[in-house]
Structures are given as structure tokens and as C-alpha cells.
Amino acid sequence: MTIANIIAVVLLLAIAAYACAGGTDYGAGFWDLVAGGTERGKRPRWLIDHAMAPVWEVNNVWLIFVMVIMWTGFPVLFQTVFSAMWLPLALATVGLVLRGAGFALRKPMRRLSRRRLYGAVFAISSLLTPFFLGAAVGGIASGRVAPGTEASADAWSNPTSVFFGLLTIAATAFLGAVFLLSDAERFEAPDLMGYFRLRALGSLAVVVVLGVAAFAVTHNDAPHVWHGLTHGAGLVFVVLAAVCAVATAVQLGRSSARWTRPAAVGVVATGVIAWGLAQRPYLIPTSLTVREAAGDPTTLVWLAFVTLVAVLLVGPAVYLLYWLDTHGELEALGDADLRQGAAGDSADGG
């Protein structure tokens, strides 16, 4: 395997990591959007705020990692994609900014109208951003962009792009519901466990339906990817995704949500990897191969070295952060905690 192929595998794994980690946050925003009015949606939104607050920002590390690898390792791919599909990618970027601002600003607002405004910005951006990212991936998979292609709506509004965008939204909603179910169990909230268990099952069904539909659309609209999904390594990961989907459904039917998260992550991760392997040997079917898009060999060697260092340094820190969060070690102090601390200080002073 050449150094260019190794970097391409790293890029694919980084995309899968962002799809799972960032997708969970987008999914939480989706459920925030459809939670209902102020009173009806109070409990689900309470859980969403508590679940997302400790780690939501760190998930964007994977997106930055993807951008750095594209720009440094495959400059032709970076230029082609961002030139031909600048509009959906710009809209996704705006959505990322508005989403972060909405989430950060809605909680400290005292006026209900402003909390609703910032909450709506956060929730709607959580819906539109994954759609545009998925639509861009669909444009790549269908081969509608190539080096020198000018920007056009057809590059990201074709059948493959639309179905990939909808599938991305469904996958993020699925991940969000599964992770919120586990958080509801951790917070000992049985009402929210039932609430998100039902939504996890429903969104899994939507993912399966849209996945089959997208698979059918690629037969005529993205034939190279369709062939890759039905043969070789691509087919293996399609089967693995189906196995993980069944395992997730089985886990959701049980009282404990302990193993639902790994199974759900397996569904999305194997699906993303299946798409990447189906495009081999192309980064953009059928106009740009890995070898043609690769940068200077010396640059790729240094990129591989920096990636290894980043994995060794950042990987354990990110894992520790996730572990602390899932074990309830990052809970924010509430008013009761602060009052209790103040009372303790007064007693000590007395």
C-alpha cells in the first residue's frame, strides 16, 4: 500500500469519526427541534442540554482533522470539491457557527422569547448543516464534480445528493436518540428512557428505509459507487452495517441501554466506510484517483508522521473526556450545589 493510500484511509476514518461524534450532536439538535412547546419539550431539552454541554465542542476536532488532511494530503481534491460545491459547504459552515452560538446563548437568556429564538437557531441549524454536508458527499459519489468543474446546483441537488442528505439527517437523529437514551438511563429518568427509546427505534427504521432507497438511486445515478457497494470490501461493510442495525434493534428492545451506543456507532461508521471503499480507486468517481489527487510524497510522509503524533497525544485526551462524560464526572454545578457549598463555608467560619 502506498503512502497516498494510507493517507486516504486515514481521511476515510476521520470522516467516519466525525459522522459518529458530530452526528450525535446534530441528532440531539434534531430532537430539540421536534420536542414540542415550552412545557411539552422541557424535559427532553433539559436532558439534551445536560448531555451535550460537556463534550459538544470537542466533536468538531474531527472536522478540522478532515479539512487538514484534505488540504495537505489531497490538494486537488480539496480545490475541486470546494470550488464546485462552495454553496452547500458555505451554508453548512454558517450552520455550524449559528448552531454553536444558539446552543451557547439560549441557556443564559432570561427572557423566554430570546431563549426560544436561540433555541430555534440551534435546532434548525442542526437539521440543515448535516443535510448540506450529506448533499456534498452525494455530489462526490455521483461523480458530478471533476477537476475544473464550475460551481452549479446540479453538483449537490441531484438525486444521489438529496438522498444522501436525507440519510445523513436520519443517521444523526438515530445516533442522537440512542445516546440520549443512554444518558437518560445514567440520569435515572425512566420517562425519558421510554421517550428516546421509541424515537431511536423509529429513526433506525427511517435510516434503513432511506439507506435502501439511496442504494437503489445509486444504481443509475452513481453506478461506480453502486458497483462498489455490491462487490468486494464495500459489500462486506454493507453487510456489517446491516448486522449492526439488527444488533441495535435488539439492544433497544431490552431494558438496559448499555450496549446500544457501540451498536449504533457501528451502523453509521460501517456505512461511511462502505461508501469510501466503494469509490476505490477514486476519490471522485470516475475522474480523480487517489494517486492523481495526492500531494508531494515528502508532504504525505510528514502528514503521516504528524497524524501519528496527533493520535498519540490527542487520542487519549479525547477518550478520557468521553469516559469522564459517560461516567457522570463532568456534571455542572447546580444552584443546590452552590448553596450547599456556601452553607458549608459559613459553618466552617462559624
Side-chain angles (χ1 to χ4, degrees):
M1 181 179 288
T2 65
I3 185 66
N5 287 325
I6 293 174
I7 299 300
V9 171
V10 173
L11 175 60
L12 178 59
L13 294 177
I15 293 173
Y18 181 64
C20 295
T24 301
D25 281 351
Y26 291 128
F30 175 87
W31 296 118
D32 187 286
L33 178 65
V34 300
T38 303
E39 290 302 320
R40 180 184 175 186
K42 183 177 181 179
R43 289 277 290 166
R45 291 191 178 102
W46 169 84
L47 180 62
I48 290 169
D49 283 343
H50 280 73
M52 286 184 60
V55 299
W56 70 279
E57 189 65 32
V58 75
N59 291 326
N60 288 324
V61 168
W62 302 112
L63 180 59
I64 296 172
F65 195 38
V66 169
M67 294 297 102
V68 170
I69 294 176
M70 283 185 63
W71 183 25
T72 309
F74 304 101
V76 178
L77 172 67
F78 187 91
Q79 179 184 9
T80 300
V81 171
F82 279 81
S83 297
M85 292 188 289
W86 67 267
L87 181 56
L89 294 175
L91 292 173
T93 302
V94 171
L96 279 169
V97 175
L98 292 177
R99 182 175 179 275
F103 181 76
L105 294 175
R106 74 170 179 175
K107 192 172 183 179
M109 290 296 154
R110 296 186 176 183
R111 292 185 180 180
L112 179 61
S113 59
R114 291 187 177 180
R115 287 203 303 269
R116 286 177 173 174
L117 173 61
Y118 287 117
V121 170
F122 161 68
I124 294 174
S125 298
S126 297
L127 180 71
L128 296 179
T129 301
F131 174 81
F132 286 123
L133 292 175
V137 170
I140 295 172
S142 63
R144 282 179 167 82
V145 296
T149 300
E150 296 183 357
S152 66
D154 181 62
W156 58 277
S157 61
N158 54 81
T160 300
S161 291
V162 171
F163 273 96
F164 271 42
L166 295 175
L167 181 58
T168 303
I169 293 175
T172 60
F174 164 62
L175 285 173
V178 168
F179 273 67
L180 288 168
L181 167 62
S182 297
D183 285 321
E185 183 178 37
R186 176 162 58 92
F187 285 111
E188 298 181 353
D191 60 321
L192 292 177
M193 287 185 64
Y195 180 92
F196 284 110
R197 189 187 305 277
L198 180 62
R199 281 152 181 77
L201 285 168
S203 55
L204 175 59
V206 174
V207 167
V208 172
V209 171
L210 286 176
V212 172
F215 182 79
V217 167
T218 60
H219 182 272
N220 294 322
D221 202 53
H224 181 83
V225 170
W226 181 85
H227 183 271
L229 291 173
T230 55
H231 296 80
L235 177 59
V236 171
F237 277 90
V238 169
V239 173
L240 286 176
V243 171
C244 289
V246 173
T248 305
V250 171
Q251 291 297 320
L252 288 172
R254 297 181 176 179
S255 58
S256 175
R258 181 179 180 183
W259 297 105
T260 52
R261 283 185 175 185
V265 168
V267 174
V268 177
T270 53
V272 172
I273 294 173
W275 155 69
L277 293 178
Q279 294 195 166
R280 293 183 306 167
Y282 297 99
L283 290 176
I284 301 179
T286 52
S287 61
L288 187 65
T289 64
V290 172
R291 181 178 60 83
E292 293 169 344
D296 183 79
T298 303
T299 301
L300 294 179
V301 171
W302 278 106
L303 181 58
F305 174 74
V306 171
T307 299
L308 179 61
V309 172
V311 169
L312 294 176
L313 294 180
V314 179
V318 173
Y319 173 80
L320 177 61
L321 179 63
Y322 286 150
W323 187 91
L324 291 172
D325 177 48
T326 56
H327 287 74
E329 299 294 334
L330 300 178
E331 297 300 322
L333 291 176
D335 293 339
D337 299 308
L338 296 175
R339 286 195 297 268
Q340 182 180 2
D345 292 340
S346 299
D348 293 338

